[in-house]
Amino acid sequence: MADVKGGPNPLFLREEELRQAMELLFFAYRDFTGEPDQILADYGFGRAHHRVIYFVGRNPGITVSELLAILRITKQSLSRVLGQLVRDGFITQRPGLRDRRQRLLELTDKGRELENKLTEQQRIRIARAYRTAGAEAVEGFRTVLTNIIDEADRGRFERPEAPGKQGAKAAPPKSAARR
Amino acid sequence: MADVKGGPNPLFLREEELRQAMELLFFAYRDFTGEPDQILADYGFGRAHHRVIYFVGRNPGITVSELLAILRITKQSLSRVLGQLVRDGFITQRPGLRDRRQRLLELTDKGRELENKLTEQQRIRIARAYRTAGAEAVEGFRTVLTNIIDEADRGRFERPEAPGKQGAKAAPPKSAARR
DNA sequence: CTTTTACGTCAGCCATGTTGACATATCTAC
DNA sequence: GTAGATATGTCAACATGGCTGACGTAAAAG
């Protein structure tokens, strides 16, 4: 951690730096996801339910395939938790207008309530970290994390002020406007 | 991010900003952990094995309880994967010197080899993101992530140049020097 | 000497991922 | 309008990796 500017072993420093990043990700994700679990347990749900509720809440009218692409799980796995959430009245399905094979997903009021309860602690945690770290650090946080993400999904996080390659994507992905 | 100092709807922007952070974490972690899995499958292992191998490699001589505290799982869960790794010759155990009830864990050569294979892609991914984002962004990334982590574990990531509260912790946690 | 600690183990349960096969409704193209 | 592709669902079986609870042993600590 001393030995900046071409010390005796820059490769070791690089390695150490990379490993610290990996651990930061591990610990941050561990703690970030750790809190909502008790609430979920009260409902007989797990993290998978949380993820589904979250992304349906964020993308009202999302299709099943879009959700699958985000979560990167099989339809059978999704079907299990999604089925429960629909049966228990947290999510509604309705056929697509243009394509009636699709099941457009949306949170019910009950679903929105649970979503809010679940993410509240996470929002507080992030807000605290953002406040403590300051705007400049937040900018760096976003930049690095975006670059860690597979290129295919970076579009979700494009900033309008980005100079250079600003394609034509301002809207989220494809969903959201299919109601 | 626009709309500082009381724009039309600062609360909405804040909410949006926080949700983007949550999603950045989700996608980054999804892609960061996604790659090593094929390699693990070749060995008949899963992600749990990877985590154990990683943290034992990082903290040679770590005790079982320390590992449990990092992973935040039960000893029964750890025992399953750790047992396999020891039996298969990736990790060795030896009794502690001061306290012979402890089993100090260490990677074997075989273990180190696998560790390297597993984290290689992850190191490449982080290195690419760091290079693209630049030193300043990296600094912000570290600052924000550290603040997302539970206070109890932030010590692992303390920087020597940090002004203000620099306690007396320079060495990692407690392990590492117990051989 | 008793209690606490560090670790292990057996047994069973649950959540959540997987593969493979098959069914149905609907859209698209020829 | 029929054939094939697509969106979704479902059944069955299996693996991983969490969990709880109970019990055991060796060593440290009082």
Side-chain angles (χ1 to χ4, degrees), chain A residues 52 64 78-87 91 93 105:
Chain A
V52 170
V64 171
L78 174 57
S79 163
R80 200 159 32 199
V81 297
L82 183 54
Q84 286 177 266
L85 290 169
V86 169
R87 254 179 275 117
I91 288 182
Q93 298 176 313
L105 307 174

Side-chain angles (χ1 to χ4, degrees), chain B residues 116-165:
Chain B
N116 200 55
K117 215 161 148 186
L118 285 173
T119 53
E120 189 176 12
Q121 318 204 39
Q122 297 185 308
R123 287 194 307 264
I124 291 172
R125 179 182 290 267
I126 304 286
R128 187 179 7 84
Y130 267 23
R131 207 180 322 118
T132 307
E136 208 176 316
V138 167
E139 191 56 33
F141 165 80
R142 297 176 51 130
T143 305
V144 172
L145 275 188
T146 303
N147 280 291
I148 288 175
I149 295 170
D150 282 352
E151 203 161 355
D153 277 316
R154 282 185 206 152
R156 301 174 183 283
F157 303 100
E158 260 161 24
R159 316 288 300 278
E161 339 82 85
K165 50 172 177 182

Side-chain angles (χ1 to χ4, degrees), chain B residues 33-52:
Chain B
T33 56
E35 284 175 330
D37 292 18
Q38 289 109 352
I39 303 172
L40 286 160
D42 294 345
Y43 291 77
F45 292 154
R47 279 190 202 169
H49 300 84
H50 187 183
R51 288 195 277 265
V52 170

Side-chain angles (χ1 to χ4, degrees), chain B residues 53-105:
Chain B
I53 286 182
Y54 180 85
F55 284 107
V56 170
R58 262 297 249 185
N59 306 284
I62 193 175
T63 67
V64 171
S65 357
E66 285 165 349
L67 196 48
L68 285 174
I70 288 178
L71 300 175
R72 299 244 180 112
I73 59 176
T74 60
K75 61 175 177 176
Q76 294 92 327
S77 296
L78 174 57
S79 162
R80 202 159 30 198
V81 297
L82 182 54
Q84 285 178 265
L85 290 169
V86 170
R87 252 180 284 130
D88 295 358
F90 294 92
I91 289 182
T92 55
Q93 297 174 316
R94 64 197 155 76
L97 290 185
R98 285 190 339 216
D99 185 339
R100 287 186 329 228
R101 291 170 303 179
Q102 298 176 329
R103 316 282 173 95
L104 308 190
L105 307 174

Side-chain angles (χ1 to χ4, degrees), chain A residues 87-99:
Chain A
R87 254 179 275 117
D88 295 357
F90 293 93
I91 288 182
T92 55
Q93 298 176 313
R94 66 200 153 76
L97 290 185
R98 285 188 340 214
D99 186 338

Side-chain angles (χ1 to χ4, degrees), chain A residues 113-171:
Chain A
E113 200 179 327
L114 176 55
E115 197 281 337
N116 201 55
K117 216 161 147 186
L118 285 173
T119 54
E120 190 176 11
Q121 319 204 38
Q122 297 185 307
R123 287 195 307 264
I124 290 172
R125 179 182 290 268
I126 304 287
R128 187 178 8 85
Y130 268 23
R131 208 180 321 118
T132 305
E136 208 175 317
V138 167
E139 191 57 32
F141 165 81
R142 297 176 51 130
T143 305
V144 173
L145 275 187
T146 303
N147 279 291
I148 288 175
I149 295 170
D150 281 353
E151 201 161 355
D153 278 315
R154 283 186 205 150
R156 301 174 182 283
F157 303 100
E158 260 160 25
R159 318 286 301 277
E161 338 85 80
K165 50 172 178 182
Q166 1 164 225
K169 308 180 184 177

